[in-house]
Amino acid sequence: GWDSSMDVLVKALFLGAKHAVPQLESSGGGSIVNMASVHGVLMAPGRLAYEAGKSAVIGMTKQMATDFGPSNIRVNCVLPGHIVTERAQERWNQNPELLEFFRQHYPLRRVGESDDIANAVAFLCSSDASFITGHALAVDGGMTVQLQEDLTLATARYAREHDFELS
């Protein structure tokens, strides 16, 4: 499981860069955007391989930015929070009350959509981000800026006020 996780989460990005960098160098530079996760900076119990893999992507991004910067290649990564994809939407359609509860964990009181991530990647690849490299951009509705103790209290308050059972 560990090797398989590292192959998908880390090695695939390494191999992508390995083959892209010579092409980018020969064309005068460019941009690489790796996909990490808020799980690269906030840990969840029982998810060792995933959390380690996403943390590794952040470190690898910073190292690649350092190594490839002289070739005019910028390397950044995006750290998505919870994004409602088509597959996730099916689950939330079956339990909209749980989705509303989940939204309360984000300062913006919403979860992300695919376009939120696409827009961040487009920005990081654009000339508007020409002086940004080695950055881990959290696209998470503010999830990672919250003090967890306060979030826990707010969650308990919401559950109590809405007769919500966590089962």
Side-chain angles (χ1 to χ4, degrees):
W2 176 268
D3 291 340
S4 171
S5 293
M6 291 303 121
D7 285 350
V8 172
L9 298 172
V10 183
K11 188 176 181 181
L13 299 178
F14 164 78
L15 292 173
K18 175 184 174 183
H19 295 288
V21 166
Q23 298 298 316
L24 293 171
E25 286 175 330
S26 69
S27 63
S31 181
I32 296 171
V33 179
N34 291 320
M35 200 57 56
S37 169
V38 295
H39 287 268
V41 293
L42 298 173
M43 304 296 118
R47 301 189 68 181
L48 178 63
Y50 187 78
E51 312 300 42
K54 292 304 183 176
S55 296
V57 171
I58 295 168
M60 186 171 64
T61 295
K62 293 177 180 188
Q63 187 62 51
M64 286 179 176
T66 301
D67 292 344
F68 305 141
S71 297
N72 195 35
I73 299 171
R74 297 179 299 105
V75 185
N76 294 290
C77 62
V78 174
L79 285 61
H82 183 72
I83 304 300
V84 178
T85 61
E86 289 177 9
R87 186 169 51 169
Q89 186 63 56
E90 292 174 17
R91 180 181 57 174
W92 291 126
N93 287 344
Q94 296 171 7
N95 198 341
E97 185 180 68
L98 184 57
L99 176 58
E100 184 55 38
F101 177 76
F102 202 74
R103 286 180 177 130
Q104 299 306 310
H105 292 80
Y106 290 82
L108 292 180
R109 298 300 187 257
R110 74 175 185 88
V111 293
E113 300 173 358
S114 299
D115 282 350
D116 295 318
I117 302 307
N119 291 336
V121 171
F123 166 72
L124 289 171
C125 290
S126 77
S127 60
D128 289 338
S130 66
F131 200 57
I132 301 172
T133 193
H135 185 69
L137 178 62
V139 182
D140 66 352
M143 170 66 86
T144 56
V145 299
Q146 298 180 93
L147 182 63
Q148 295 304 299
E149 291 89 350
D150 292 345
L151 174 61
T152 301
L153 294 172
T155 300
R157 192 174 316 112
Y158 178 87
R160 204 172 33 250
E161 290 171 0
H162 293 86
D163 295 323
F164 192 82
E165 289 187 35
L166 296 173
S167 54

